[in-house]
């Protein structure tokens, strides 16, 4: 097997470095997107939990008020 | 954005960068391990797939790379088999066995057995083939390397390490195979079925089956095969010695990262030495020849007596040595003696150091992380990048070392279970796994473990957050170091090699440079003088080394390191080593580079390394112990022997496939925190729970076994429920105690404390736990806050229910305690509402009081019940103390049946035992009487509505009395009265008058029911009247307090002090201006909307006019009573209008009757008898006087009363003698006393009646200003 000239190989190696750098940059960006999605997820969850809590407490309040207002009548 | 639209790379990257700028608030404090919904890990390890790309590399090492690739694949396959064995669960126990050959469905059973087990058996077959292949391959490699020609040649570090990994793999597989008896049982079940069905018909498969059977049944088969095969190879021991030496070297210089790598090195030492020691070779002799260093290994083995083998299996590497042929204890002074115990057994010795490391590292990291987040930099300088990379590596090493300490402790504990003798807490019949986990740790050890786990998980979170920064810096710095080294540093050795015509060195250096050189112009600068062996000229030749954000590929890194190792190795195939041809400076540089670059691989796979360094999943796995105990409590066996399936001595044959959670490490730790309530540990409580995440992750990604995951999940479900339950209980009890001790009087509390009853509340750090809105568990996110809130809400309802129930179980005096309980609950609710969303307190109270659907609640009902059945019949009023008390020793009415007192936990009432004691002592003071305190509490609790209900019910009772019992008695007594009874003249003397009245009233005096019934009826009526009056007093006092509180907000200010010459108005104005900010109505009008100002005005009016009508409850009561007296049911109607003639001698009117009764009760009684006051209190007089006053007969009564007449006469003559057994003087004293009392009563009644009369008709609206402090000038 005849080896290609050294310059070609060196160029190929350099090309390889460049390609891998490109891949690393893309991978790094995907990683960043993942991190973003994760913290977005966390943030949404905490905000939704807060919202849910408010809704539940409102619901309970309505139940209570309904009971207060109906005074012994059958509740629907 | 449409798909077709093109986005440039830079745009895309800047889009990603912009994501950072979005703020994503997450308000929960971070006290749990890294939660991640999405896990992203890129793996660039090619396993030498790209080796052929580096054609310029030295061929020998490219070949070696090929070998490596193959060996790595084998290692991976070996790991799969290890997993298969470790996670093997006995199938045959679940398969029904035909009982006899006559059983009709036995063919069917066998068929199904074969069908079910065939795939499993195939795995075993594959395992057998694999170990054969692997041993062959391993021995092949050893043989090749031990070949006489090859032997003296240099074998690279990576190669030796791979061989070491093989040695480790054999050790692991062999131990797993030995341990798993279920594998053998399953196979024999299969074989029986298969033989019956004649599945294996051909001789070959029969032979294979026989082989497999033998293979599985022979203990230590793999180990012995390897040993036998190796012993046939000439000089294998030298190679193994190299392997062992490299392990020792790497262990000592900490050339490893993850805990499992560290443990692998130790296992290789042990197993390697065992393999070396044979008939032909004595390790002791090798030690003498300095080929191996047993003393160093001895130290290592002592420090690490037990290492994890696989999962929860552990091994003492020194045991391999003990089993070897030439074991000589004198060579192993440390390991062979049991004392002192290995440092790995004691976590406490490591803890201070770990703490310090953690603190130092965290601070450094925080400083750096602040720097990163506040300043934006494209890329740091080389030195900055290197510093960050070093910081990151140090973090990984710390994490790994802490993790090792933990896993090593657990392994040691597993191998050294406790027993009843060493640990008295451990019951004698505790089972094996329990002794290894549950009872094997002291409280301090558990806390220390929790702390270390928390440190590991906490640091992992911090590092994971900075992972992109770390990875970026690592890639840049590695690139810079590598390229600087290759392009600049290697020039000098290259120049020398060319100049001195050292071809081998030259070719290696050139190869290194070409393998990974990333030249600025694409290729090596041809003008470089070094390439011609010349020194740089004066006009120095400069090479500009580029910078990139990428590290070398795995193959590149391997090639560079291995080739450099060849340069610096001191072994070189018989030729003189290449080291000699390199100058010392270069040599050192290369060595430094070689040493440092070892960790590059880990840094380039940062995410993976971080995960591996923090992996504590094995703390949960217990397949080994499950296998050992076969899911049974074997220790219940009465006889000491080897157990088997048919053992008849087992008392309990408890079948189960998992251990209960009490023996599970994650839960043991979690529960320990909850149980001890240690406030310092409370915030760590989520970390031990995170171990389940680790285990589940491991089950899914490494073991790839659904059933293991399911078991983890089942355990988590169980544990988490318990966790929430216990946590809510803790939180509720804590805040209850806090509230209770806050409300307890300070001095009283201090005195309690002085007497050793601590009523304080311990610290509790629940705040951050209560803010956890998404706790990550097995990929789910649990809103802990909501779950706890739900439970505490229920607790709150229960507590108020308990308070009311406690009141219902007692008499009316309990009302003060009820109020106290409600106050404590209210404060507790307020404290908790900071963190949790609970129902409104008033709503909960009303619900517990059952007052939502009914117009009045349980409290009101019980108050009325008690008033009616206990208070009215049994209590007597005493104006001197202003209290109603029971007549001592006499129960007038039947005993009241009340609800039985339920038992409530301390948390439901006052929070703790001590607090309950303190409070009950306090409230015991309010028992036995009804006084202003009770009435005030009643008023506050019942409110206007409740008071109205109670009073109107009492009026009903009063009407009943007046129209019933009293009317009857009045009629009867009126009949007994003499028709005429006049006021005798003074001439008769007081004794005569008394005698006259006594004779006249003899029927009344001797009336038998007077004392037993009549007076009681009057007393009850009097009690009603008094109660109504006193409750009104309490009510107005409460209102006045309210008004006083409201006054400053309504621009009602106390009159200021004015000195001489000062004007009151100006001072007043100044004060008003000063407090204008407090005036609600004005301010709301100024700043609020129209609706708000209207609301505030109305509110103000309501507050102001609360008392404005001067509506008096008591006046209404009197009016109603008067109506009753005017009704036809009342036998003694009101007096006729004033102008009618007054018949002084007539006895028809009620006041005459009362005079008679007064005569009766004025007669003094003997010392041993109960006095009228004792028996009836002042209620009696109140009743009589009220009726008289309401009938308008007050004047007549005062003028014509018999007793008063006696008094008047006695005043004149001052006689004292015994008249018909009545001591006159004492009688007169009594009369005087009652006269005073009567006139007091009349004046009180008169005031109320007068006010009432005045108001009859028109309602005079009058504003009562709230009382102002009397002002003295």
């Amino acid at each position: 097997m005849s080896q290609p000239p050294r310059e070609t190989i060196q160029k190929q190696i350099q090309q390889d470095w460049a390609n891998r750098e490109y891949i690393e940059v893309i991978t790094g960006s995907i990683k960043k997107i993942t991190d973003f999605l994760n913290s977005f997820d966390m943030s949404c969850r905490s905000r939704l939990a807060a919202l849910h809590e408010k809704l539940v407490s409102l619901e309970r309040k309505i139940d209570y008020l309904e009971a207060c207002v109906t005074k012994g009548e059958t509740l629907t | 954005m449409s798909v077709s639209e093109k986005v440039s790379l830079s745009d895309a990257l800047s889009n990603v960068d912009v994501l950072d700028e979005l703020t994503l608030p997450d308000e929960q404090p971070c006290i749990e391990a890294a939660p991640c919904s999405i896990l992203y890990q890129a793996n660039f390890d090619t396993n030498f797939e790209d080796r052929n790309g580096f054609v310029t590399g030295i061929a020998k090492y490219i070949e070696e790379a090929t070998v490596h690739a193959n060996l790595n694949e084998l290692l991976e396959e070996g790991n799969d088999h290890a997993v298969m064995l470790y996670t093997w669960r006995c199938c045959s126990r679940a398969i029904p066995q035909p009982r006899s050959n006559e059983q009709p469905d036995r063919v069917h059973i066998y068929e199904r057995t074969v069908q079910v087990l065939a795939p499993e058996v195939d795995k075993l077959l594959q395992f057998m083939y694999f170990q054969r292949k692997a041993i062959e391959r391993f021995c092949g490699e050893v043989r090749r390397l031990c070949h006489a020609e090859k032997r003296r040649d240099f074998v690279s570090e990576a190669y030796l390490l791979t061989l070491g990994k093989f040695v480790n793999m054999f050790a692991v597989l062999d131990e797993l195979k030995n341990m798993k008896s279920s594998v053998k049982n399953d196979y024999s079940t299969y074989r029986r079925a298969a033989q019956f069905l004649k599945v294996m018909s051909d001789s070959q498969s029969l032979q294979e089956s026989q082989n497999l059977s033998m293979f599985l049944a022979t203990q230590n088969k793999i180990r012995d095969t390897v040993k036998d095969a190796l012993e046939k190879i000439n000089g294998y021991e030298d190679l193994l010695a190299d392997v062992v030496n490299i392990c020792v070297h790497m262990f000592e210089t900490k050339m490893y990262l993850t805990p499992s790598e560290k443990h692998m090195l130790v296992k290789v030492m042990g197993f390697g030495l065992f393999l070396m020691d044979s008939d032909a070779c004595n390790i002791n002799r090798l030690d003498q020849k300095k080929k191996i260093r047993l003393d160093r290994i001895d130290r290592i083995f002592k420090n690490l007596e037990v290492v994890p083998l696989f999962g929860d299996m552990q091994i003492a590497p020194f045991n391999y040595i003990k089993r070897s042929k030439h074991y000589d204890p004198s060579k192993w002074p440390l390991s062979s003696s049991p004392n002192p115990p290995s440092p790995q057994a004691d976590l406490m010795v490591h803890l201070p150091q770990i703490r310090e490391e953690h603190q130092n590292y965290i601070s450094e990291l925080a400083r750096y992380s602040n720097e990163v987040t506040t300043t934006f930099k494209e890329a740091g300088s080389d030195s900055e990048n290197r510093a960050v990379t070093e910081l990151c590596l140090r973090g990984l090493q710390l994490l790994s070392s802490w993790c090792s300490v933990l896993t090593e402790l657990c392994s040691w504990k597993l191998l050294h279970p406790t027993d009843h003798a060493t640990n008295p807490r451990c019951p004698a019949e505790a089972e094996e796994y329990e002794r290894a986990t549950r009872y094997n740790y002291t409280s301090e050890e558990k806390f220390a473990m929790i702390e270390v786990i928390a440190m590991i998980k906490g640091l992992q979170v911090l590092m994971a957050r900075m992972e992109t920064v770390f990875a970026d810096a690592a890639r840049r710095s590695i690139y810079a170091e590598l390229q600087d080294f290759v392009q600049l540093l290697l020039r000098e050795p290259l120049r020398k090699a060319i100049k001195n015509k050292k071809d081998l060195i030259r070719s290696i250096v050139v190869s290194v440079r070409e393998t990974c050189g990333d030249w600025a112009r694409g290729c090596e600068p041809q003008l470089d003088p070094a390439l011609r062996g010349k020194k740089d000229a004066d006009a120095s030749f400069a090479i500009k080394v580029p910078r990139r954000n990428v590290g070398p590929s795995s193959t590149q890194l391997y090639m560079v390191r291995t080739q450099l190792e060849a340069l610096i190795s001191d072994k070189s195939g018989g030729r003189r080593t290449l080291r000699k041809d390199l100058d010392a400076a270069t040599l050192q540089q290369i060595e430094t580079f070689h040493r440092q670059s070892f960790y590059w691989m880990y840094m380039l796979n940062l995410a993976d390394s971080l995960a591996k360094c923090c992996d504590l999943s094995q703390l949960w796995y217990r397949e080994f112990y499950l296998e050992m105990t076969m899911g049974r409590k074997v220790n219940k066996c009465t006889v000491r022997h080897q157990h088997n399936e048919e053992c008849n001595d087992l008392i309990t044959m408890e079948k189960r496939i998992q251990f209960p959670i009490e023996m599970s490490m994650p839960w043991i730790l979690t529960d320990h925190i909850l149980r001890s309530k240690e406030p310092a540990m409370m915030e760590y409580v989520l970390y031990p729970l995170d171990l389940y995440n680790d285990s589940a992750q491991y089950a899914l990604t490494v073991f790839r076994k659904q059933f293991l995951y399911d078991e983890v999940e089942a355990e988590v479900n169980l544990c988490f429920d318990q966790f929430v339950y216990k946590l809510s209980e803790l939180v509720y009890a804590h805040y209850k105690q806090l509230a209770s001790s806050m409300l307890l009087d300070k001095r009283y509390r201090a005195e309690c404390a002085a007497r050793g009853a601590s009523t304080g509340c311990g610290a509790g750090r629940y705040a951050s736990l209560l803010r956890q809105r998404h706790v990550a568990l097995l990929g789910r996110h649990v809103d802990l806050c909501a779950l706890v809130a739900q439970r505490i809400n229920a607790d709150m309802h229960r507590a108020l229910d308990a308070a009311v129930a406690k009141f219902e179980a007692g008499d009316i005096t309990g009302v003060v305690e009820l109020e106290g309980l409600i106050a404590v609950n209210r404060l507790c609710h307020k404290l908790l509402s900071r963190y949790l969303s609970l129902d409104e307190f008033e709503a909960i109270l009303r619900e517990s009081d059952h007052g939502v659907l009914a117009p009045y609640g349980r409290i009101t009902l019980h108050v009325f019940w008690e008033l009616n059945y206990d208070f009215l019949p049994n209590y007597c009023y005493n104006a001197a103390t202003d209290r109603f008390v029971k007549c001592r020793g006499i129960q007038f009415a039947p005993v009241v049946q009340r609800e039985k007192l339920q038992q409530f936990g301390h948390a439901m009432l006052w929070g703790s035992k001590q607090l309950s004691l303190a409070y009950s002592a306090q409230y015991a003071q309010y028992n036995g009487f009804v006084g202003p305190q009770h009435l005030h509490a009643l008023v506050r609790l019942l409110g206007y509505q409740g008071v109205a209900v109670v009073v109107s019910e009492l009026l009903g009772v009063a009407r009943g009395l007046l129209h019933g019992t009293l009317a009857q008695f009045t009629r009867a007594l009126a009949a007994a009265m003499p028709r005429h009874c006049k006021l005798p003249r003074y001439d008769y003397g007081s004794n005569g008058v008394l005698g006259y009245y006594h004779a006249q009233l003899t029927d009344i005096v001797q009336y038998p029911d007077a004392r037993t019934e009549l007076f009681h009826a009057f007393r009850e009526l009097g009690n009603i009247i008094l109660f109504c009056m006193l409750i009104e007093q309490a009510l107005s006092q409460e209102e006045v307090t309210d008004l006083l509180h409201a006054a400053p907000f309504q621009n009602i200010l106390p009159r200021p002090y004015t000195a001489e010459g000062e004007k009151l108005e100006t001072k007043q104005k100044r004060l008003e201006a000063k407090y204008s900010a407090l005036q609600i109505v004005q301010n709301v009008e100024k700043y609020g909307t129209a609706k708000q100002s209207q609301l505030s005005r109305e509110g103000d009016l309501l507050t102001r006019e609360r008392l404005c009508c001067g509506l008096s409850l008591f006046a209404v009561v009197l009016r109603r009573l008067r109506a009753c007296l005017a009704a036809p049911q009342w036998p003694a109607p009101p007096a006729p209008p004033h102008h009618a003639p007054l018949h002084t001698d007539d006895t028809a009117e009620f006041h005459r009757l009362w005079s008679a009764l007064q005569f009766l009760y004025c007669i003094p009684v003997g010392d041993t008898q109960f006095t009228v006051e004792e028996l009836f209190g002042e209620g009696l007089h109140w009743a009589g006087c009220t009726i008289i006053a309401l009938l308008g007969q007050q004047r007549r009564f005062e003028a014509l009363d018999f007793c008063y007449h006696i008094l008047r006469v006695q005043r004149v003559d001052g006689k004292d003698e015994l008249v018909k057994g009545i001591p006159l003087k004492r009688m007169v004293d009594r009369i005087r006393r009652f006269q005073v009392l009567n006139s007091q009563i009349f004046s009180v009644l008169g005031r109320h009646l007068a006010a009432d009369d005045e108001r009859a008709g028109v309602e005079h609206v009058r504003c009562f200003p709230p009382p102002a402090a009397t002002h003295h000038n």
Side-chain angles (χ1 to χ4, degrees), chain B residues 1191-1245:
Chain B
L1191 291 172
Q1193 297 166 343
Q1194 184 196 340
R1195 303 277 176 228
R1196 294 177 198 188
F1197 171 72
E1198 281 170 349
L1200 303 176
D1201 183 64
F1202 310 137
C1203 296
Y1204 289 3
H1205 190 65
I1206 299 174
L1207 173 69
R1208 280 192 294 268
V1209 177
Q1210 203 270 346
R1211 279 276 163 85
V1212 175
D1213 59 23
K1215 282 185 180 163
D1216 180 18
E1217 59 187 73
L1218 217 59
V1219 181
K1220 295 191 179 167
I1222 303 168
L1224 179 60
K1225 183 76 176 70
R1226 275 183 64 200
M1227 170 96 176
V1228 168
D1229 287 346
R1230 281 177 68 78
I1231 294 173
R1232 175 64 196 145
R1233 225 174 29 248
F1234 289 126
Q1235 191 183 25
V1236 173
L1237 177 63
N1238 284 346
S1239 51
Q1240 271 174 6
I1241 297 173
F1242 280 128
S1243 73
V1244 171
L1245 289 170

Side-chain angles (χ1 to χ4, degrees), chain B residues 922-1195:
Chain B
Q922 181 181 322
Y923 286 115
Q925 305 290 321
Y926 294 100
N927 285 346
F929 73 96
V930 177
Q933 296 89 344
H934 298 88
L935 294 170
H936 278 269
L938 260 181
V939 165
R940 283 190 294 260
L941 280 173
L942 297 183
Y944 288 116
Q945 201 185 358
V947 169
V949 168
V950 168
V951 168
S952 78
E953 291 298 322
L954 286 178
L955 276 172
V957 176
R959 188 189 302 115
L961 275 171
L962 281 174
H963 292 170
T965 333
L966 285 177
Q968 226 174 320
F969 279 118
T970 311
R971 260 186 229 109
L973 283 175
M977 280 292 275
R979 300 262 33 96
H980 294 283
C981 192
K982 48 185 176 185
L983 301 179
R985 293 163 56 115
Y986 280 40
D987 302 349
Y988 294 107
S990 47
N991 50 346
V993 176
L994 176 58
Y996 171 74
Y997 282 131
H998 196 266
Q1000 285 283 327
L1001 299 174
T1002 180
D1003 283 352
I1004 305 275
V1005 172
Q1006 284 161 11
Y1007 185 64
D1009 290 342
R1011 278 171 179 265
T1012 51
E1013 293 189 31
L1014 175 67
F1015 283 178
H1016 283 298
F1018 274 116
R1019 179 178 55 83
E1020 282 178 33
L1021 179 65
N1023 278 350
I1024 293 175
I1025 295 164
L1026 276 165
F1027 179 80
C1028 292
M1029 189 182 75
L1030 292 174
I1031 206 150
E1032 181 182 28
Q1033 274 177 15
L1035 196 59
S1036 0
Q1037 280 171 20
E1038 289 297 318
E1039 279 172 337
V1040 165
T1041 319
D1042 272 4
L1043 276 179
L1044 255 185
H1045 286 159
F1049 303 98
Q1050 293 178 306
N1051 200 15
I1052 301 171
L1053 300 167
R1055 245 164 61 117
Y1057 168 75
T1058 43
E1060 200 106 350
E1062 281 179 317
K1063 275 192 177 171
L1064 181 68
E1065 288 77 27
T1066 47
K1067 270 205 142 178
Q1068 189 90 26
K1069 284 262 157 58
R1070 217 178 303 145
L1071 270 180
E1072 278 175 26
K1074 188 174 172 189
Y1075 294 109
S1076 66
L1078 287 180
Q1079 290 160 29
I1080 293 200
V1081 179
Q1082 282 182 20
N1083 284 314
V1084 173
E1085 260 165 12
K1086 212 189 289 178
Y1087 302 111
T1089 61
K1091 194 171 180 192
Q1092 283 169 338
S1093 72
Q1094 194 197 343
L1095 279 173
S1096 74
R1097 266 200 309 278
E1098 282 171 4
D1100 185 58
L1101 197 66
L1102 209 60
T1103 319
R1104 231 178 246 276
E1105 295 192 350
R1106 202 150 170 198
L1107 280 177
C1108 69
C1109 295
L1111 289 172
S1112 163
L1113 185 89
F1114 188 55
V1116 176
V1117 170
L1118 291 177
R1119 222 167 23 220
R1120 294 274 172 86
L1121 286 176
R1122 179 181 279 164
C1124 290
L1125 292 174
Q1129 289 91 332
W1130 179 245
H1138 296 298
H1139 48 78
L1142 182 69
H1143 299 285
T1144 47
D1145 299 348
D1146 257 7
T1147 52
E1149 291 190 322
F1150 178 79
H1151 72 95
R1152 302 298 282 174
L1153 188 64
W1154 188 253
S1155 290
L1157 291 177
Q1158 180 153 295
F1159 181 78
L1160 172 57
Y1161 64 68
C1162 282
I1163 298 171
V1165 291
D1167 290 342
T1168 51
Q1169 282 172 293
F1170 281 101
T1171 62
V1172 171
E1173 294 91 317
E1174 259 182 302
L1175 280 172
F1176 310 107
E1178 283 159 30
L1180 181 64
H1181 313 284
W1182 273 88
C1185 292
T1186 311
I1187 296 176
I1188 291 171
L1190 290 176
L1191 291 172
Q1193 297 166 343
Q1194 184 196 340
R1195 303 277 176 228

